[in-house]
């Protein structure tokens, strides 16, 4: 009976790195870590509160025997901070798997973090974990995968990812070992913005489920109705920006040039056009801003359905291309680059990273001076630059609040976090679809908030550097044929519940339940003439029965959760090749029903 041991290494609530031991297979899920600017000031109280988050990742990871790590799975671009260090400065030599957007955006995140670290500290070259060359080398070692694509990094081990709904390319990994599936639910969101929608099948299929990070309810507040709350937060930020732009003021949005920032920018521009306001000059201050915004347009297949529909018109799913053509979109890498660029005066909409405190403080200082020199006539006519707004949406409340406190003395900031990550309530909601779960692991800070009385599975908690071991038992659910026979029997007796006792018997490879309630008259033998079937007709019938089937003359290819199958249609005898036992079960059961009907 296989066992899996999960050990979390990152102490931060939002980022994570899991060491997983599955019998003789050892792998890593995500490589996240909280990377802060090297000169970030700290108060005495703040030091005590954040000591655990400032642990040295090098000393923490030195306890891992990297030569024994077989492979690494990366869920999204926020969980890659330590990947270049692992691939370039440890003995790890296995494959790394991630989606194409995760790889592309992850490189932007890593380069931006390193750039800000080097510009904020003269000794950064001695303190930082890796170099630009290390980032490039790490990206070259990543194998691109698509959602639902099955990879086999080790014998008897298969892995695939499903959309997490959190960011472009973000996914939740499922690792299948000898027929047992373990799902790692990384940073996920039910609120539908521009990324591809959350796929719940990763939870429905798994025997063991690990919720890698769950938002602390005390920080995020009540999250009932994620879509409604996220929409309200975005509307609040957009309304504040529009109110300032109406008075010919200037707006700074503190956030990376990807993720929620794209949705806010889209909403502000669309509202400006609908209200016949002059388009603001959008200035993106970031060394990776131009690439990051372009990825949103060129990776349309990774977006939500409404954004993907624009690709068939054809239209660009975001407005940055239109802004660029009208001369209202400007990319500058730093303040020095901004000084050398000519950008028209007027209403500005500036996007700056929360790590780039120098740029934020520069604009606040400059805009305050402009407000002080603005005459009363200009203010009355709304032609001056007296008003400006600073907006922030980061859902990392601790880090965001530290920046708000730092800038509160110089400017009024509208901090409106857009919390999309799972909370305890969301975990309970998603677990209702966990029909095969036997073990569920959640972070310790939400374990006490989950009700443990009404679940059929074992609920466990994990915490920093504490190993959690669970046994992947055999599936406790009855085979589909027995479930169907029990349902038919209860339906015939007009019952919703029934107590059935009998003996399970194995005959000719089929499991049967022998009991009085299921005694039925023998059916007449059905003879199927397979020569009458065509690949197109069979694919159509399999699709009508819930499978993803397509004709590939003279075969039929079928994709099911956890595997694929090929039905080779010979004129006298068919052959079915399946990639996994679970796929074989589903395909054979459906094929039998189709042929008998």
């Amino acid at each position: 009976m296989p066992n899996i041991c999960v050990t979390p290494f990152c102490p931060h609530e939002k980022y994570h790195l899991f060491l997983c031991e599955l019998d003789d297979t050892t792998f890593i899920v995500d490589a996240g870590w909280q990377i802060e600017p090297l000169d970030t000031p700290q108060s005495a109280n703040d030091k005590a509160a954040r000591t655990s988050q400032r642990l040295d990742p090098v000393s923490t990871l030195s306890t891992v025997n990297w030569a024994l790590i077989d492979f690494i799975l990366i869920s999204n671009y926020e969980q890659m901070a330590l990947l270049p260090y692992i691939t370039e400065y440890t003995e790890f030599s296995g494959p790394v798997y991630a989606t194409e957007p995760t790889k592309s955006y992850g490189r932007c995140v890593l380069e931006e973090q390193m750039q800000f670290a080097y510009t904020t500290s003269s000794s950064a070259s001695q303190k930082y974990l890796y170099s630009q060359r290390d980032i490039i080398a790490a990206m070259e070692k990543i194998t691109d995968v698509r959602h639902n694509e099955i990879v086999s990094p080790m014998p008897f081990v298969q892995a695939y990812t499903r959309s997490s709904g959190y960011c472009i390319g973000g996914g939740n990994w499922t690792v299948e070992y000898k027929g047992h599936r373990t799902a790692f639910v990384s940073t996920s969101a039910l609120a539908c913005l521009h990324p591809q929608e959350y796929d719940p099948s990763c939870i429905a299929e798994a025997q063991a489920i690990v919720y890698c990070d769950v938002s602390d309810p005390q920080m995020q507040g009540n999250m009932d109705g994620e879509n409604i709350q996220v929409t309200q937060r975005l509307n609040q930020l957009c309304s504040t920006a529009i109110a300032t732009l109406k008075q010919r003021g200037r707006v700074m949005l503190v956030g990376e040039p990807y993720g929620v920032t794209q949705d806010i920018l889209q909403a502000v521009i669309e509202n400006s056009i609908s209200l016949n306001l002059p388009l603001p000059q959008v200035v993106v201050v970031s060394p990776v801003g131009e690439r990051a915004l372009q990825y949103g347009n060129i990776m349309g297949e990774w977006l939500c359905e409404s954004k993907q529909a624009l690709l068939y018109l054809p239209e660009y799913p975001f407005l940055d291309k239109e802004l660029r053509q009208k001369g209202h979109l400007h990319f500058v890498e730093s303040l020095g680059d901004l000084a050398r660029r000519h950008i028209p005066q007027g209403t500005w909409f500036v996007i700056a990273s929360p790590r780039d405190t120098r740029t934020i403080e520069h604009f606040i200082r400059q805009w305050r001076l402009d407000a002080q020199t603005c005459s009363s006539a200009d203010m009355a006519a709304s032609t001056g630059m007296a008003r400006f707004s600073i907006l922030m949406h980061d859902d990392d409340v601790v880090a965001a609040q530290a920046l708000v406190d730092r800038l509160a003395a110089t400017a009024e900031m509208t901090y409106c976090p857009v919390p999309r990550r799972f909370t305890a309530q969301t975990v309970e909601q998603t677990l209702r679809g966990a029909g095969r779960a036997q073990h569920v692991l959640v972070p310790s800070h939400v374990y006490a908030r989950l009700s443990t009385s009404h679940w059929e599975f074992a609920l466990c908690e994990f915490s920093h550097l504490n190993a959690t071991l669970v046994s992947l038992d055999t599936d406790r659910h009855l085979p589909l044929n027995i479930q169907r026979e029990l349902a038919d029997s209860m339906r015939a007796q007009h019952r919703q519940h029934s107590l059935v006792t009998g003996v399970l018997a194995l005959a000719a490879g089929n499991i049967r339940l022998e009991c009085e309630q299921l005694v039925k008259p023998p059916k007449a033998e059905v003879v199927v003439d397979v020569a009458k079937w065509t690949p197109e007709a069979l694919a159509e019938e399999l699709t009508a029965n819930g499978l993803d089937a397509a004709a590939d003359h003279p075969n039929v290819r079928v994709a099911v959760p956890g595997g694929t199958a090929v039905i080779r249609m010979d004129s006298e005898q068919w052959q079915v090749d399946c990639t996994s036992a679970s796929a074989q079960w589903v395909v054979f059961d459906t094929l039998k029903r189709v042929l008998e009907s």
Side-chain angles (χ1 to χ4, degrees), residues 7 10 47 163-164 168 174 198 221 238 253 258 262 266 303 370 439-440 455 486 504 515 562:
T7 306
C10 181
K47 286 183 179 180
S163 175
S164 66
I168 299 179
T174 296
Y198 167 76
C238 180
L253 179 62
Y258 36 79
Q262 290 177 285
Q266 184 95 359
L303 301 177
D370 292 346
H439 302 276
V440 175
W455 303 116
L486 289 173
L504 287 176
C515 63

Side-chain angles (χ1 to χ4, degrees), residues 104-117:
S104 301
Y105 279 107
R107 178 172 177 175
C108 291
V109 173
L110 297 177
E111 291 179 351
E112 185 187 53
Q113 289 177 344
M114 187 184 65
Q115 183 73 18
F116 289 145

Side-chain angles (χ1 to χ4, degrees), residues 348-385:
W348 277 26
F349 188 96
V350 178
I351 299 176
S353 170
R355 301 183 187 91
D356 193 0
T357 54
R358 290 188 176 182
T359 296
I360 298 173
E361 291 174 343
H362 164 79
F363 277 106
I364 292 177
R365 184 168 54 252
Q366 183 63 46
W367 290 353
R368 283 179 60 86
L369 291 175
D370 292 346
Q372 293 173 1
T373 59
C374 182
S375 65
S376 57
D378 290 335
M379 294 177 62
S382 297
T383 58
M385 294 296 158

Side-chain angles (χ1 to χ4, degrees), residues 104-293:
S104 301
Y105 279 107
R107 178 172 177 175
C108 291
V109 173
L110 297 177
E111 291 179 351
E112 185 187 53
Q113 289 177 344
M114 187 184 65
Q115 183 73 18
F116 289 145
Y118 273 66
T119 55
T120 55
S121 176
S122 58
S123 59
S125 58
Q126 288 76 30
K127 293 183 179 180
Y128 209 69
L129 297 176
Y130 42 78
S131 65
Q132 173 71 22
R133 182 177 300 177
D134 297 329
I135 295 176
I136 297 175
M139 296 302 105
E140 293 177 349
K141 296 176 181 177
I142 295 178
T143 300
D144 294 347
V145 298
R146 304 188 66 83
H147 289 324
N148 305 320
E149 178 184 351
I150 300 176
V151 295
S152 297
M154 297 290 295
F156 307 108
V157 177
Q158 293 182 326
Y160 54 90
T161 180
R162 302 287 174 83
S163 175
S164 66
Y166 179 71
C167 59
I168 299 179
N172 294 323
W173 282 97
T174 296
V175 178
E176 182 176 347
Y177 176 72
K178 296 181 179 180
H180 301 274
R181 298 189 186 95
T182 301
F184 294 88
V185 184
S186 186
T187 313
S188 301
L190 296 183
C192 182
L193 295 179
H194 66 270
Q196 196 170 126
E197 291 82 354
Y198 167 76
D199 188 345
S201 58
C202 64
I203 293 179
E205 303 164 349
Q207 286 84 20
I209 304 172
V210 181
Y211 284 88
C212 299
D213 80 275
V214 179
S215 179
D216 192 337
Q218 293 181 346
M219 294 182 179
Q220 303 293 6
N222 185 11
M223 278 295 292
D224 292 337
E226 284 81 2
N227 281 301
I228 297 176
Q229 186 175 17
V230 168
T231 302
Q232 291 175 345
R233 298 292 180 90
L234 292 177
N235 289 340
Q236 180 178 345
L237 289 166
C238 180
S239 298
T240 304
I242 291 297
T244 303
L245 295 176
K246 280 184 177 180
Q247 301 184 28
R248 295 180 56 82
R250 293 171 287 195
V251 179
M252 176 185 291
L253 179 62
V254 180
E256 294 86 355
Y258 36 79
V260 179
T261 299
Q262 290 177 285
D263 298 288
I264 298 174
L265 175 61
Q266 184 95 359
V268 169
I269 298 302
E270 288 178 348
N271 277 272
S272 299
I273 295 175
S274 64
L275 295 174
N276 292 322
L277 296 177
L279 283 179
Q281 299 293 334
V282 179
V283 182
V284 182
V285 185
S286 170
V288 298
E290 186 169 9
R291 278 186 291 154
L293 282 180

Side-chain angles (χ1 to χ4, degrees), residues 44 82-83 144 222 358 424 430-431 454-455 489 550 579 586-587 596:
L82 296 184
L83 185 62
D144 294 347
N222 185 11
R358 290 188 176 182
T430 55
L431 281 177
H454 61 282
W455 303 116
S489 176
T579 59
V586 175
V587 172
E596 289 182 350

